Amino acid sequence: DAGVIQSPRHEVTEMGQEVTLRCKPISGHDYLFWYRQTMMRGLELLIYFNNNVPIDDSGMPEDRFSAKMPNASFSTLKIQPSEPRDSAVYFCASSRIGSNQPQHFGDGTRLSIL
Amino acid sequence: QQQVKQSPQSLIVQKGGISIINCAYENTAFDYFPWYQQFPGKGPALLIAIRPDVSEKKEGRFTISFNKSAKQFSLHIMDSQPGDSATYFCAALPYGGATNKLIFGTGTLLAVQP
């Protein structure tokens, strides 16, 4: 089975540009999570969806960040305008419903804002 | 705010030795404690997990020990191998939550020297 697929794997762009990260969850999974990983702050949950509906976006750092899940097989995380402090690895994960269901992570997008 | 504290931040172990990573939580309302393993350039992947009604769980060389009264749980890697070199995250799932929203520790970078 295909795992969680993220694109692009690497993104380098200049400050002020719009950045869009993409995620395809595992088919049949009910939950989708977006995380950000940095050396300083570790793994932070930004937002998660249940059946395509955003449930908790309290981890989204600023209004510059937005996420959508238009259907069960696709989600985007957008940063507009981007800033150097947004540089991090962004992970998408998905899981089935149930307390013992593991989250399956993609390989991440390494984002560098110059 | 619910938290999971993880230590040490980094760990160096000789091949064949025992690696021990500790986590402690501050809220009793957790009912699922997974450990994730992350290799460079990859997303975290579930390694092993335990529920609080069990004091120990073993899978191969990996063992979770759980101390409910002390609100602590730890990962032991027996006969550590260079291939075990990775970052390890403990996590906890709030009890009774209808979501799979995990609270992650800050991670431990393990290096196993040959």
Side-chain angles (χ1 to χ4, degrees):
Chain A
D1 289 341
V4 174
I5 300 172
Q6 291 187 246
S7 64
R9 288 297 315 276
H10 303 274
E11 175 86 9
V12 181
T13 190
E14 293 187 347
M15 181 175 65
Q17 296 297 307
E18 178 178 290
V19 173
T20 299
L21 311 181
R22 297 172 175 80
C23 175
K24 177 179 172 55
I26 294 173
S27 177
H29 280 194
D30 308 279
Y31 286 97
L32 184 139
F33 305 83
W34 281 101
Y35 290 89
R36 178 172 68 177
Q37 186 175 40
T38 61
M39 289 295 293
M40 290 296 294
R41 301 173 70 90
L43 198 60
E44 302 175 274
L45 177 65
L46 301 177
I47 185 172
Y48 72 94
F49 296 81
N50 179 18
N51 292 327
N52 314 337
V53 176
I55 302 300
D56 184 350
D57 65 354
S58 60
M60 298 284 263
E62 300 174 29
D63 291 344
R64 298 183 296 105
F65 286 70
S66 63
K68 294 182 179 179
M69 192 166 185
N71 57 62
S73 60
F74 183 66
S75 177
T76 60
L77 178 67
K78 187 173 293 186
I79 308 173
Q80 168 63 22
S82 58
E83 297 183 4
R85 60 191 168 126
D86 302 330
S87 297
V89 180
Y90 290 81
F91 288 103
C92 175
S94 69
S95 72
R96 295 185 185 279
I97 194 169
S99 62
N100 63 342
Q101 294 297 320
Q103 292 186 18
H104 297 262
F105 285 75
D107 286 339
T109 295
R110 181 172 295 276
L111 177 63
S112 296
I113 308 298
L114 305 178
Chain B
Q1 184 177 0
Q2 298 172 334
Q3 281 192 324
V4 176
K5 296 183 179 180
Q6 184 171 347
S7 63
Q9 187 174 4
S10 62
L11 180 62
I12 300 174
V13 174
Q14 295 296 316
K15 179 181 176 181
I18 302 174
S19 303
I20 301 174
I21 304 171
N22 300 299
C23 284
Y25 59 99
E26 299 182 339
N27 187 311
T28 57
F30 292 123
D31 71 345
Y32 177 64
F33 300 89
W35 285 86
Y36 282 75
Q37 179 188 52
Q38 183 181 24
F39 292 106
K42 297 292 186 180
L46 179 65
L47 180 64
I48 186 173
I50 197 169
R51 291 201 174 274
D53 54 348
V54 176
S55 61
E56 185 176 282
K57 183 174 182 179
K58 184 177 180 179
E59 291 183 1
R61 296 184 294 107
F62 300 90
T63 300
I64 300 177
S65 297
F66 185 79
N67 186 330
K68 189 173 183 177
S69 61
K71 300 181 188 178
Q72 295 175 346
F73 56 110
S74 59
L75 176 69
H76 295 234
I77 305 174
M78 311 299 289
D79 187 26
S80 299
Q81 299 297 311
D84 298 330
S85 298
T87 299
Y88 293 81
F89 294 92
C90 62
L93 182 69
Y95 175 80
T99 74
N100 293 9
K101 181 181 177 181
L102 291 169
I103 310 298
F104 280 92
T106 51
T108 296
L109 179 60
L110 171 65
V112 181
Q113 295 185 336

